[in-house]
Amino acid sequence: MIPYSRQTLSETDVHVVMDALHSDWITQGPWVERFEQKLAEVCGARFAVAVSSGTAALHLACLAAGIGEGDTVVVPTLTFVASANCVLYCGGRPALLDISPDTLNLDVGALQALFRKDKGLKAVIPVHFGGLPCQMQSIVHLARERGVVVIEDACHALGARWNDDSGVWHRVGSCSHSDMACFSFHPVKHITTGEGGAVLTNHEHLYCKLKTLRSHGIVKDPRELKAGSGHWYYEMRMLGFNYRITDFQCALGFSQLNHLSEWVARRRLIAAQYRSAFGDAPWIRCQREPDGFESSYHLMVIQVEKRDAFYKRLREKGFGVQVHYIPVHLQPYYQQQFGWRADDLPRATAYYQKAISLPLFPTLTDEEVGSVIAAVKQTAQELGVG
Ligand SMILES: *Cc1c(COP(=O)(O)O)cnc(C)c1O
């Protein structure tokens, strides 16, 4: 079975981890800061805080932004549940938003309408679906006018970039148009640390708060404590968590970052092969990548009729296709707690009924891509949709 995604680990990656394990540190050693610095540099942000998962990154970003009891935060419904759950962890309420049917990212028109209707919004969490950057210029413009915090869920988009109105390129993670950006290093993502995540920001006060929240809300640095206290002295200043990542995981992340641009280039090449094979066919729909936007292609999603049968047949043929995602407003928990119904956000619901993710990862060979394309075309004929 060819999976929809898988990690890539080189011998060098393994050696770097072995070296880290042989050092004096297991957790919070020198590799954590090395990884953070390199990640910040690769993305073009001032600061990075590495944590135990992408979900932990989102939770801490929400806390650092001051999201609390009763605050409303806009989240697109087409995403992994963690993008919305992080708001609930803080006592806030996610306001789910529909998507643009072509880019599959949050609908900026709907965001504008929501901003007009609901004056008390606290934050917005744009998700760069499949690796395609959102229209950050428009989003930030709307948010800034109203003092709304912008937290990018960039878990799909390490290595993606976009071009602004004056022709300047912006890397996702640079936070040029947001307060914070969150990444995940789960094995299906662009680089992996096993489990892991990070928050990037250009604001020093957010950076300090994120670091404190990562480790129980405790401050230990003598420079930040009142003079004359003992060497053992520490202060818990806010309610934090243990969201630390280990030193050997960060050694792996550091080594993996060396491959990032090569892997993103390969992902984009594979996506281009899929696109040119399916491009003109009326029975299949691919995510639109507008001019000036370069997706880092975490996912290659297509939309087809008779999705369930399509999915079943591709699996039987040995292709580990997946569905990304069941929209958040269709999840039983969200329906029961907040009364969401399928037709409240009709475009995401319609997308979900047709969506399939095809295999896409850097070590997928051209032959394998060819076999996926052939299987998709053959299945469409078998089912009478192509
Ligand atoms: C993977 C992912 C997360 C969660 O990351 P974990 O590292 O699995 O906790 C959050 N949001 C999106 C969009 C993701 O794809």
Side-chain angles (χ1 to χ4, degrees):
M1 181 87 93
I2 301 177
Y4 92 86
S5 184
R6 59 162 299 148
Q7 71 274 20
T8 309
L9 289 180
S10 68
E11 275 311 302
T12 323
D13 294 341
V14 174
H15 285 303
V16 172
V17 175
M18 291 298 280
D19 285 349
L21 283 171
H22 284 129
S23 78
D24 289 339
W25 304 90
I26 287 287
T27 186
Q28 297 301 109
W31 280 111
V32 177
E33 265 183 36
R34 262 179 231 158
F35 176 50
E36 288 174 341
Q37 272 168 18
K38 185 155 172 167
L39 183 64
E41 193 184 298
V42 163
C43 293
R46 285 182 69 201
F47 307 106
V49 178
V51 293
S52 52
S53 71
T55 305
L58 285 162
H59 184 188
L60 292 193
C62 287
L63 286 174
I67 294 164
E69 216 51 53
D71 285 332
T72 303
V73 177
V74 186
V75 181
T77 189
L78 181 59
T79 184
F80 184 55
V81 289
S83 317
N85 291 349
C86 60
V87 177
L88 296 178
Y89 297 157
C90 303
R93 195 185 67 84
L96 300 175
L97 205 67
D98 214 342
I99 55 166
S100 291
D102 54 348
T103 65
L104 307 179
N105 278 332
L106 69 74
D107 179 356
V108 175
L111 181 67
Q112 196 164 17
L114 196 64
F115 271 133
R116 243 183 266 122
K117 204 176 78 189
D118 188 340
K119 302 279 181 243
L121 297 173
K122 176 80 181 178
V124 55
I125 305 183
V127 179
H128 308 300
F129 188 83
L132 177 69
C134 293
Q135 292 174 49
M136 294 310 295
Q137 265 184 307
S138 317
I139 293 170
V140 122
H141 179 72
L142 289 170
R144 289 283 177 265
E145 278 180 349
R146 295 162 179 85
V148 169
V149 180
V150 180
I151 301 169
E152 295 171 78
D153 180 340
C155 289
H156 290 187
L158 185 60
R161 57 179 201 154
W162 57 277
N163 206 314
D164 71 18
D165 292 345
S166 42
V168 178
W169 284 98
H170 299 270
R171 282 170 273 174
V172 169
S174 70
C175 302
S176 64
H177 289 71
S178 68
D179 296 283
M180 288 172 272
C182 299
F183 290 104
S184 163
F185 310 124
H186 180 279
V188 300
K189 307 287 162 71
H190 293 85
I191 64 160
T192 190
T193 57
E195 296 283 354
V199 188
L200 276 70
T201 184
N202 292 320
H203 301 295
E204 195 161 8
H205 71 280
L206 291 175
Y207 170 64
C208 294
K209 200 167 171 191
L210 289 163
K211 280 214 300 188
T212 306
L213 286 166
R214 170 174 68 182
S215 205
H216 309 282
I218 284 175
V219 175
K220 257 196 294 213
D221 188 339
R223 285 165 302 182
E224 289 178 46
L225 296 168
K226 54 178 179 283
S229 48
H231 180 255
W232 40 265
Y233 187 71
Y234 61 88
E235 277 178 8
M236 181 183 141
R237 295 212 178 137
M238 53 188 94
L239 185 61
F241 297 83
N242 179 356
Y243 279 163
R244 294 188 300 262
I245 184 169
T246 65
D247 211 43
F248 54 95
Q249 284 177 291
C250 289
L252 177 57
F254 184 94
S255 185
Q256 289 256 305
L257 275 177
N258 290 328
H259 306 282
L260 180 66
S261 54
E262 170 204 332
W263 287 344
V264 169
R266 177 68 191 146
R267 282 177 178 274
R268 289 185 54 76
L269 212 64
I270 293 169
Q273 285 174 280
Y274 280 134
R275 281 177 175 282
S276 72
F278 302 137
D280 313 323
W283 53 272
I284 193 166
R285 188 169 183 184
C286 298
Q287 183 180 17
R288 191 168 74 86
E289 189 180 24
D291 286 344
F293 288 77
E294 284 189 10
S295 172
S296 54
Y297 281 99
H298 166 55
L299 298 175
M300 178 69 212
V301 288
I302 57 167
Q303 292 175 72
V304 287
E305 299 296 331
K306 301 190 184 171
R307 191 273 315 274
D308 295 4
F310 227 104
Y311 177 94
K312 193 160 164 277
R313 291 200 181 204
L314 285 173
R315 286 237 152 200
E316 283 163 3
K317 290 172 180 159
F319 302 98
V321 291
Q322 263 299 342
V323 173
H324 296 94
Y325 293 92
I326 303 167
V328 179
H329 75 286
L330 299 184
Q331 291 295 346
Y333 181 85
Y334 279 86
Q335 297 205 330
Q336 283 151 21
Q337 296 285 317
F338 304 102
W340 286 102
R341 292 190 337 238
D343 49 6
D344 288 336
L345 301 169
R347 293 192 295 272
T349 302
Y351 158 84
Y352 167 59
Q353 283 156 0
K354 296 181 175 183
I356 293 187
S357 304
L358 300 178
L360 177 57
F361 49 92
T363 52
L364 195 66
T365 65
D366 289 348
E367 293 69 43
E368 287 170 328
V369 177
S371 69
V372 178
I373 291 167
V376 169
K377 288 184 172 170
Q378 190 200 17
T379 306
Q381 282 192 348
E382 286 165 14
L383 296 175
V385 299

